[in-house]
Amino acid sequence: MKIIKSLISFITLAILIVGCSGNTPQGKFVIAPEKPQAGEYVTIKYNPIGTKLEKENIIKAFVYFYDKELVKTEEYTLKNEDGIWKATFKTDSSTKGVVIKFTNEKELITDNNENKGYVVKTYDNSGNVVPGATAGLAMCYADWGYYLDIETDRELAYKLFNEEFSKNENLKKGFIPTYLFLINRLNSQQASTLIPAELSKLEKESTLDEKTITSMINWYTQFKDSKAEVYTKMLAEKFPQAIYFQQKDYTAFRNAALEQKIEMVKAFAQKYPNSEYTQSMYNSILAEYVKTEQYAKAKEYINANSSSISPYRLGMTANAILESGKDNQLAFEIAKLGVEKADEYLNKPSEKQPEYSSVEQWKREREGVLGYNEFCLAKIQSTMGYNDLAAGNIVTAFKLTRGLDADINCAYADQLIKNGNFAKAKAILEFDIKNGNVSDKTEELLKEAYTKDKNNTVAYDKYLADLKALVDAGLLEKIKKELIDIPAPDFTLLDVNGKSVSLSEFKGKTVIVDFWATWCGPCMSSFPGMKMVVEKYANDPTVKILFVNTWERVDDKLKNAKEFLAKTQYPFHVLLDDKNTAVESFKTTGIPTKYFVDKNGKIRYKSVGFSGNNEEMAKEIDLIINLIK
């Protein structure tokens, strides 16, 4: 009764309901003051009833502050007052607005207001939205919203930009790179007129920033206009360290042979001492040594450049050498260095905090890197017979990764079982199964923990069947809640055999459209599971699976795709999205992404990424197909 009264009181609060385009449900999210000004404190009140967070005991808010772009992220654990969850944060003097998402304690469940985020704009003394707040929000939907798990919405971003610029034309220059991109994508018939007109306006400006000049170079290059050379020279004079030049040099590096890369990265690091590309380049060289099993050279390279290589890459290198079985001592030495560097990265990070991470998130990320390295070291120690040391490092790895890494969880559970702590091992493994966070050892260890615990009286087979039924029911319920119903954009692409294929020709069937690329690690990891799905539905005339190869970074995309299929022998029907038109039409923000299209040509479900478990993925796909058929 107390909760009901609190809810009624909450709904009737005379506070502005703040959302995006009127999408925020009444009584779900409110703020005080009604119209906050930059520099003021803002109190948020959140009612999770009816959301995915309804049953959570701990709810966190991630607050993303923006000006022209994302500026910083802050994290708050909300206080529960009779079912209403509250937190207070302070805006900065330059804050144009914030966008908020809510999560559970381990950030496994998110409420982001149905992909729009919970939006709070700032106001001036007259109670009007401050100039730039609407355009800054447009940048969220066009660019950085994926940090909130928000899908890119270019149409909305374009609408918001035009709304802003109709009132504040002078602000357009500050958003021109993204604005011109949206014109080209959404207004292509008039782009050849609109974009040059905007570029002409920019030419009259006395001061241009790095991003604007870079955008002008790119557009004039696309239009084959000699002005591209003029602005390239201007960029070199004003911003010699510009990202534009870094990217060109980085592209040349990626296309070079290994021996050339070694010299190129030295020159790059000297030319661009603060570049974010540098570590990626050093990591890339080390990865090539490992891929070609030149382990001695890999160690020499690490010794010479340890400060430039990421701790995570050191752990990966040690693990690869261990799995090769060729030099455990070398793997051990690299793993020890990896732990040392990861500990330094955790406690004395040299780089600045990313704007998309809260202080706490960034620390957890660094802890995860150390946890991974501790785990790699533990595996090597165990192989070499140092079991006591390995046991200690596994416990440390489990704590640092907060029970979110399936392989580490299994190693820890195995240790608990050996020590007779069956109930704790069972709880860890059960949690993993319920959250789809499993490895190939999870069920095997769960069986051992369960059957050895004399307190368990139900037969293991029945226990496991009941657990899986519970998981399947939960997964089905989750899928049902996330079903959508929007028209699928049609596309016509050539497959690897040169045949023209259109999505519309499969109307009347359930179609899975899987966007992927050969450079995409999660895509590659998901393909054994997708092979299972393809083989299961090979003789089902009502189901069609299309693998759309997109966003490739090679010149000959057809050759690249054919070589991949020849090497892997996957029985996939691969289409070439060589101009990235299909992936753009689906508003895809990352790969792998799978769209489930029903017999009426409607997208009913969207699955982004890969959890790491092929059997779980195949099961989920089965449930979706049977649900929308």
Side-chain angles (χ1 to χ4, degrees), residues 367-610:
E367 287 175 339
V369 172
L370 178 56
Y372 172 73
N373 277 274
E374 291 275 9
F375 178 53
C376 292
L377 178 58
K379 287 197 292 182
I380 297 166
Q381 288 169 330
S382 179
T383 301
M384 299 175 74
Y386 306 135
N387 294 322
D388 290 342
L389 292 173
N393 287 332
I394 286 172
V395 173
T396 302
F398 177 78
K399 291 178 180 178
L400 287 167
T401 55
R402 302 186 300 137
L404 296 175
D405 186 294
D407 290 325
I408 294 174
N409 294 353
C410 281
Y412 183 48
D414 186 35
Q415 188 167 297
L416 290 170
I417 292 168
K418 288 173 180 174
N419 292 332
N421 198 340
F422 307 122
K424 188 171 182 179
K426 172 175 164 284
I428 291 169
L429 298 166
E430 264 189 12
F431 181 83
D432 281 354
I433 289 176
K434 288 177 180 177
N435 287 281
N437 179 39
V438 298
S439 78
D440 55 1
K441 295 181 179 178
T442 303
E443 284 193 27
E444 174 190 336
L445 289 166
L446 179 60
K447 182 176 182 178
E448 186 178 357
Y450 187 88
T451 54
K452 285 184 176 180
D453 189 348
K454 303 303 180 185
N455 294 319
N456 296 321
T457 57
V458 178
Y460 175 73
D461 289 343
K462 182 179 183 335
Y463 156 77
L464 183 62
D466 290 345
L467 177 61
K468 287 190 171 183
L470 183 66
V471 172
D472 288 350
L475 179 57
L476 183 60
E477 189 62 28
K478 171 182 173 291
I479 292 169
K480 285 180 178 178
K481 287 181 179 179
E482 295 177 354
L483 285 176
I484 54 180
D485 188 9
I486 58 176
D490 193 20
F491 58 75
T492 300
L493 301 170
L494 295 179
D495 66 16
V496 291
N497 297 315
K499 180 184 176 183
S500 180
V501 178
S502 298
L503 178 60
S504 56
E505 70 187 68
F506 301 107
K507 199 163 186 179
K509 298 184 178 185
T510 299
V511 185
I512 301 174
V513 182
D514 189 346
F515 287 103
W516 65 283
T518 53
W519 52 262
C520 167
C523 300
M524 299 299 100
S525 297
S526 73
F527 277 176
M530 289 308 297
K531 180 174 181 284
M532 293 162 52
V533 175
V534 169
E535 289 172 344
K536 176 172 182 176
Y537 289 96
N539 297 318
D540 188 336
T542 67
V543 176
K544 179 65 180 177
I545 306 172
L546 300 173
F547 293 83
V548 182
N549 182 231
T550 192
W551 286 345
E552 285 293 359
R553 303 166 177 173
V554 295
D555 293 330
D556 194 334
K557 296 174 182 178
L558 175 59
K559 179 184 177 184
N560 180 62
K562 281 187 170 183
E563 287 178 349
F564 172 77
L565 290 173
K567 179 181 178 181
T568 61
Q569 293 297 300
Y570 284 131
F572 297 166
H573 189 182
V574 172
L575 313 183
L576 293 176
D577 187 22
D578 55 349
K579 295 182 180 178
N580 304 327
T581 53
V583 73
E584 291 289 346
S585 70
F586 275 74
K587 303 177 186 177
T588 308
T589 56
I591 54 176
T593 295
K594 299 170 185 62
Y595 295 89
F596 294 77
V597 182
D598 69 12
K599 61 184 178 181
N600 299 313
K602 297 288 189 70
I603 298 175
R604 302 303 313 284
Y605 196 82
K606 176 182 176 181
S607 175
V608 182
F610 176 59

Side-chain angles (χ1 to χ4, degrees), residues 246-382:
Q246 293 182 35
Q247 288 175 337
K248 290 180 79 69
D249 288 354
Y250 180 64
T251 299
F253 166 86
R254 289 183 62 235
N255 294 327
L258 177 58
E259 294 307 315
Q260 291 177 298
K261 286 181 176 179
I262 294 170
E263 296 305 316
M264 291 173 76
V265 70
K266 292 177 183 177
F268 187 95
Q270 188 172 12
K271 186 176 180 181
Y272 308 111
N274 300 312
S275 176
E276 294 182 0
Y277 288 100
T278 307
Q279 188 176 80
S280 176
M281 295 166 78
Y282 278 103
N283 287 345
S284 169
I285 292 171
L286 178 56
E288 285 198 47
Y289 279 131
V290 173
K291 184 178 180 180
T292 54
E293 298 187 348
Q294 299 182 67
Y295 299 136
K297 284 191 175 182
K299 184 61 166 65
E300 289 177 13
Y301 194 73
I302 290 169
N303 290 341
N305 303 284
S306 62
S307 62
S308 301
I309 297 168
S310 73
Y312 192 79
R313 176 58 64 178
L314 292 174
M316 290 179 67
T317 300
N319 192 57
I321 297 173
L322 172 68
E323 291 182 351
S324 75
K326 293 188 174 180
D327 195 334
N328 289 343
Q329 182 60 38
L330 179 59
F332 177 70
E333 292 170 9
I334 295 174
K336 281 182 63 180
L337 180 62
V339 169
E340 177 187 321
K341 290 295 181 182
D343 184 74
E344 185 179 306
Y345 174 55
L346 170 60
N347 295 300
K348 297 179 181 179
S350 56
E351 60 261 47
K352 69 174 185 177
Q353 176 187 333
E355 70 279 358
Y356 53 79
S357 293
S358 67
V359 171
E360 299 85 355
Q361 272 181 313
W362 191 36
K363 183 181 179 183
R364 289 193 292 271
E365 183 269 326
R366 302 195 314 274
E367 287 175 339
V369 172
L370 178 56
Y372 172 73
N373 277 274
E374 291 275 9
F375 178 53
C376 292
L377 178 58
K379 287 197 292 182
I380 297 166
Q381 288 169 330
S382 179

